[in-house]
Amino acid sequence: MKIAVTGATGVQGGAVARLLAEHGHDVRRVTRNPTRPGDVRGDFDEPASLAEAFSGVDGVFLMTPLSGPAEPAQGIAAVEAARHVPHVVFTSATNADRGTGIPHFDTKAEIERYLAAHHPHWTVLGPAAFMGAEGDVALPIPPALKLHVVAPEDIAAMAVLAFEQPERFRNRRIDIAGDLLTGPEMAAVRGTAFVEVPMSQAEVYSRDLAAMFRYLTEVGLDLDIAALRAEFPEVGWHTYAEWFRGRALPKRT
Ligand SMILES: NC(=O)c1ccc[n+]([C@@H]2O[C@H](COP(=O)([O-])OP(=O)(O)OC[C@H]3O[C@@H](n4cnc5c(N)ncnc54)[C@H](OP(=O)(O)O)[C@@H]3O)[C@@H](O)[C@H]2O)c1
């Protein structure tokens, strides 16, 4: 299959592009700055460039950058550009469709609604926080709070499965995570410290992210990891410890 991957120089898109290539698919890596064979130029702020980047492909992996209030327009322009693409897989965020009030979740919900209303064949993946490996685990959450996390490689495995088994994923929204653990548990795996960042400090850094951590603390995500593993065993879901120990050296090409 020929698949256009947006955000291909980033975490999610990079993992998706690599796995698609490993599976023998023809990957069109969409970036604002093409540098290597297989790259095509596409800018969310220039819809015509996206239409060009998506022409003739069988599928589009759609991510949207953290662009604040510009995110819905960027995502909607991308959906429009993909109107004639047989299958669009959009990566959103866990429970973004629940009216959380978290700005960068609600912007994604707008894109989800537009996609579902205007495209005949879509899949929405709702990843939890991405597993990360660097530095202390410094978060504005209480130490006993369990967080859902997902390996970027598992997001990619779900996306690739969706392209390869389109009917199984037709017009479905699936929240995804591979583990549920506390900040101190994450820090122990990493061999670092857990630092509980005061919410007032988080607010100064980003009101949007602070709103997310407040939601995670006060409401929490609704995501059943056991059910997900049972339905999609072929993804080979990683716990945080498995991912951390087995992670490859950074491959953000
Ligand atoms: N981090 C988490 O824990 C988490 C969890 C759930 C959801 N998310 C969501 O994931 C998204 C970010 O994904 P990521 O972390 O994989 O990305 P990333 O590593 O931050 O990379 C950003 C990507 O966006 C592309 N990009 C930015 N502006 C663009 C534009 N105007 N036109 C075309 N491409 C543009 C960049 O491509 P070029 O620079 O090459 O053009 C790059 O590939 C955000 O929407 C975030 O809310 C994150």
Side-chain angles (χ1 to χ4, degrees):
M1 271 187 292
K2 188 182 283 189
I3 309 288
V5 178
T6 63
T9 59
V11 176
Q12 304 185 78
V16 171
R18 283 190 294 276
L19 191 60
L20 283 168
E22 278 173 29
H23 283 217
H25 299 293
D26 182 358
V27 184
R28 213 179 262 184
R29 295 164 31 95
V30 182
T31 168
R32 287 167 295 180
N33 303 297
T35 56
R36 48 180 258 199
D39 285 358
V40 294
R41 192 178 170 281
D43 187 331
F44 282 106
D45 295 320
E46 293 173 29
S49 70
L50 294 181
E52 179 69 29
F54 298 165
S55 69
V57 299
D58 303 299
V60 165
F61 177 77
L62 176 60
M63 61 72 66
T64 43
L66 264 180
S67 325
E71 188 176 0
Q74 291 180 325
I76 286 167
V79 172
E80 279 300 313
R83 276 258 194 172
H84 304 293
V85 174
H87 188 188
V88 174
V89 176
F90 174 51
T91 180
S92 176
T94 303
N95 294 177
D97 58 335
R98 305 278 176 98
T100 61
I102 304 163
H104 74 285
F105 280 38
D106 290 350
T107 47
K108 288 176 176 57
E110 264 187 81
I111 301 165
E112 289 187 24
R113 284 194 294 272
Y114 192 88
L115 178 63
H118 295 87
H119 202 285
H121 191 161
W122 52 269
T123 302
V124 171
L125 301 178
F130 303 169
M131 293 181 185
E134 277 123 49
D136 288 342
V137 178
L139 298 169
I141 55 166
L145 185 80
K146 285 180 184 275
L147 280 185
H148 290 87
V149 288
V150 66
E153 291 81 357
D154 294 349
I155 303 173
M158 277 293 276
V160 173
L161 195 60
F163 286 123
E164 292 179 343
Q165 300 184 8
E167 288 313 317
R168 187 176 172 196
F169 286 81
R170 177 182 280 275
N171 300 356
R172 289 190 65 186
R173 186 191 189 290
I174 306 166
D175 285 322
I176 55 176
D179 206 353
L180 178 66
L181 75 174
T182 66
E185 285 167 347
M186 226 180 287
V189 169
R190 248 192 244 185
T192 57
F194 171 73
V195 180
E196 185 177 353
V197 176
M199 188 51 84
S200 55
Q201 196 178 316
E203 291 272 7
V204 172
Y205 174 70
S206 162
R207 294 180 70 86
D208 190 344
L209 289 178
M212 180 182 77
F213 284 109
R214 195 173 298 110
Y215 184 89
L216 296 178
T217 304
E218 293 171 4
V219 182
L221 296 179
D222 176 16
L223 195 171
D224 184 344
I225 292 178
L228 192 63
R229 283 176 176 261
E231 184 175 0
F232 302 104
E234 55 274 74
V235 166
W237 300 96
H238 293 79
T239 63
Y240 184 68
E242 287 164 350
W243 177 81
F244 186 83
R245 292 189 198 113
R247 75 194 190 286
L249 290 170
K251 287 192 291 187
R252 291 171 62 104
T253 52

